[in-house]
Amino acid sequence: MAEKNTAMAANFVENIIDGDLKSGKYVPEEIHTRFPPEPNGYLHIGHAKSICLNFGLAQRFGGKCNLRFDDTNPTKEDTEYVDSIQEDVKWLGFTWDDRRFYASDYFVKLYEYAVELIKRGKAFVCDLSAEEIRAYRGTLTEPGKESPYRNRSVEENLDLFARMKAGEFPDGSHVLRAKIDMASPNITMRDPVLYRIAHATHHRTGETWCIYPMYDFAHPLSDAIEDITHSVCTLEFEDHRPLYDWLLESLGFDAKRPHQYEFARLNLTNTVMSKRKLRQLVEGGYVSGWDDPRMPTISGLRRRGYTAAAIRDFCERIGVAKSNSLVDVAMLEHCVREDLNENADRVMAVLDPLKVVIANYPEDKIEYLVAENHPTRGGHRYVPFSRELFIEREDFMEEPPKKFFRLKPGGEVRLKHAYIIKCEEVVKDDAGNVVELRCTYDPDSKSGGAAAGRKVKGTLHWVEAKNAITAEVRLYDYLLTTDENGNVPDDFLAHLNPNSLRVLKDVLIEPSVRYTAEGTRYQFLRKGYFCVDKDTTPDHLVFNEVVGLKDTWGKVKG
Ligand code: ATP
Ligand code: MG
């Protein structure tokens, strides 16, 4: 994995860790972060920011980063998600070594911590219903009301909690709550629920438990169990930090206990990012699955042809701030384009073919011309050339405007890696559509040949007819439309872009790509970057458009 670009300013979490090392609170090997996804969906580009930050901090300081599945919500979680999350983190280039954990690994310990809180008089079993708890909670301007069950004795609480665990009570009849302060200005601190009853099957613990810890209880304690030092999360958890601290302090963890730090979550223009919304797109059939190439999921971006290096580069460039903002999706595309410009081989493909016959070229002849694979990295291949070819329909105009340097009646262009041709005749069908161009070629104008010096203004890509491969190409636009600021409105399903997918079935490609497999990326000359899709078989090639050649972001930024 690439070294961190030292020219980049350190982010604020790095500064905090630097401070903790300077003060002697920690030595580098003790620095310990975690990435804690809930396995209730596939990871998205926002998670990539958190992954790069957490694993990146550990790499930078010589510490460790754990992968921890925060699986405290049995009804929503699934091993399919666990598997996809691991695949995505690995693909992004990070490793948790042997430190893959699950909050569910700690269910026994967490239960014991809850018992300890009860013993310390800091938690109680409450019989209020969910609605009553909400009504008692108060508002931002009014304090809450104490639960009538708040002053149960330790013995009674221990007994009730044990019976909750033993399955004596139905869902929703009792909860365990922290005993903090119903008048706290921070609503999170108004006797928050720590445990709930849920007679549900957990994807790992099965039927063993019918009580499950709440996120706010499980999270700080899982951090503490794993000796996490810097628990980095997104800003919406800022109000939960006092509870995080209260729990750890109430249970007697010392100054080296984990501390929580919040950063701004990634928001992207044209993109919905919450798993809940992404699930709606999948379950509603609006996309082909979590890995639909239009999805902002890591698996979708990977299938589309985005590289892990480009995503890491993007996460580095956006930085880590303490206030929320909206990042232009064009910046992500810019990072992908930069990577592929450097690393993708060039080939020729004609998306919308128009036949060209070279009248003065021998009927049965086939020539193999040498073509460069990449302008700086080099490498070569052969492309066949013969009397019948295809060019892009839009590269010919019968009545062109003034500055049209492509093919026109009587005009000349160079065919890339090949010869200069001249358009002598336009053949039309009965309806008046152009169906073929009759051209002649200049045998002395071969690229790299003795008389190659003759210059014409336009150079076109093309493919030879007999050897061309027919492929399917999927062109993409944004899945969702936005307001003028690039935000997707809340009722995002009403803002689906009907043109987000366009399928071309008869694209013609030079034969050098015949047996390329899933995941290979190319630049189709003059057309953009394309990646071989997983639907490809040895006799049916399918490409996804990764990103176009035009850089809107780079241009704006100069
Ligand atoms: P979502 O709201 O998309 O469902 P989440 O926060 O519920 O996301 P988790 O699985 O709980 O998803 O997230 C795992 C980690 O990824 C958390 O630490 C969370 O803060 C972080 N994360 C989630 N979304 C983003 C984002 N858009 N930008 C940065 N970090 C994120
Ligand atoms: Mg969550």
Side-chain angles (χ1 to χ4, degrees), residues 154-430:
V154 168
E155 290 67 36
E156 192 184 357
N157 281 319
L158 287 174
D159 174 61
L160 284 169
F161 191 49
R163 289 165 60 194
M164 281 169 63
K165 174 175 179 262
E168 283 188 31
F169 306 121
D171 291 5
S173 59
H174 299 71
V175 290
L176 183 74
R177 298 176 68 178
K179 197 191 265 193
I180 308 179
D181 178 7
M182 288 308 291
S184 170
N186 180 348
I187 294 181
T188 307
M189 298 298 273
R190 294 183 188 169
D191 294 2
V193 173
L194 306 180
Y195 261 91
R196 67 199 185 283
I197 301 174
H199 291 270
T201 307
H202 187 278
H203 70 105
R204 294 190 72 241
T205 58
E207 315 279 327
T208 310
W209 295 86
C210 63
I211 56 170
Y212 290 94
M214 303 300 289
Y215 174 86
D216 276 340
F217 181 74
H219 196 74
L221 290 166
S222 300
D223 281 348
I225 290 167
E226 292 176 16
D227 288 327
I228 301 303
T229 54
H230 297 79
S231 179
V232 187
C233 64
T234 37
L235 281 174
E236 65 275 20
F237 292 102
E238 198 167 5
D239 286 348
H240 300 235
R241 185 175 0 114
L243 175 55
Y244 188 107
D245 293 337
W246 181 91
L247 275 166
L248 294 179
E249 280 154 21
S250 297
L251 285 163
F253 288 93
D254 66 14
K256 275 185 127 175
R257 67 173 178 76
H259 284 262
Q260 175 181 304
Y261 303 94
E262 306 88 15
F263 71 100
R265 69 196 288 109
L266 171 65
N267 299 304
L268 269 185
T269 58
N270 297 77
T271 310
V272 291
M273 203 91 89
S274 101
K275 277 182 281 187
R276 187 179 55 79
K277 290 181 175 171
L278 296 178
R279 185 177 308 104
Q280 276 177 272
L281 287 168
V282 174
E283 287 173 359
Y286 301 103
V287 293
S288 64
W290 286 96
D291 71 347
D292 186 299
R294 293 165 293 177
M295 290 281 273
T297 50
I298 310 239
S299 51
L301 297 174
R302 175 170 61 234
R303 179 169 173 192
R304 175 86 174 252
Y306 282 34
T307 62
I311 293 174
R312 290 195 304 263
D313 179 31
F314 170 71
C315 290
E316 186 69 45
R317 291 191 202 197
I318 54 176
V320 181
K322 274 193 267 196
S323 60
N324 282 318
S325 64
L326 185 64
V327 174
D328 191 336
V329 71
M331 184 178 170
L332 175 59
E333 293 161 1
H334 171 81
C335 293
V336 175
R337 195 177 287 114
E338 261 196 8
D339 184 354
L340 296 186
N341 180 42
E342 195 56 41
N343 295 305
D345 279 347
R346 276 56 170 162
V347 295
M348 294 195 285
V350 175
L351 272 52
D352 184 12
L354 173 62
K355 190 169 175 186
V356 169
V357 176
I358 313 231
N360 61 339
Y361 196 88
E363 293 252 354
D364 296 322
K365 184 172 171 183
I366 285 232
E367 255 183 284
Y368 290 90
L369 304 169
V370 172
E372 188 181 61
N373 293 339
H374 192 277
T376 56
R377 290 184 311 122
H380 294 86
R381 67 191 187 283
Y382 289 114
V383 290
F385 184 92
S386 78
R387 186 182 159 88
E388 292 194 3
L389 320 163
F390 288 93
I391 62 167
E392 208 73 64
R393 185 166 287 278
E394 65 177 17
D395 283 338
F396 171 77
M397 274 182 99
E398 201 172 9
E399 289 162 33
K402 237 188 176 164
K403 295 229 161 167
F404 186 80
F405 297 124
R406 294 173 269 167
L407 201 55
K408 58 190 169 195
E412 282 190 317
V413 290
R414 174 173 288 284
L415 295 180
K416 182 76 180 171
H417 306 306
Y419 300 94
I420 291 172
I421 60 166
K422 182 175 181 187
C423 178
E424 309 281 1
E425 188 190 338
V426 180
V427 183
K428 295 183 183 175
D429 64 10
D430 293 345

Side-chain angles (χ1 to χ4, degrees), residues 401-468:
K402 237 188 176 164
K403 295 229 161 167
F404 186 80
F405 297 124
R406 294 173 269 167
L407 201 55
K408 58 190 169 195
E412 282 190 317
V413 290
R414 174 173 288 284
L415 295 180
K416 182 76 180 171
H417 306 306
Y419 300 94
I420 291 172
I421 60 166
K422 182 175 181 187
C423 178
E424 309 281 1
E425 188 190 338
V426 180
V427 183
K428 295 183 183 175
D429 64 10
D430 293 345
N433 300 310
V434 177
V435 291
E436 188 181 307
L437 302 177
R438 294 270 159 161
C439 298
T440 51
Y441 85 119
D442 172 357
D444 293 331
S445 64
K446 189 166 162 178
S447 288
R454 192 154 78 83
K455 289 262 189 297
V456 289
K457 276 240 160 93
T459 300
L460 307 185
H461 63 280
W462 53 276
V463 292
E464 191 274 329
K466 277 201 248 9
N467 291 281

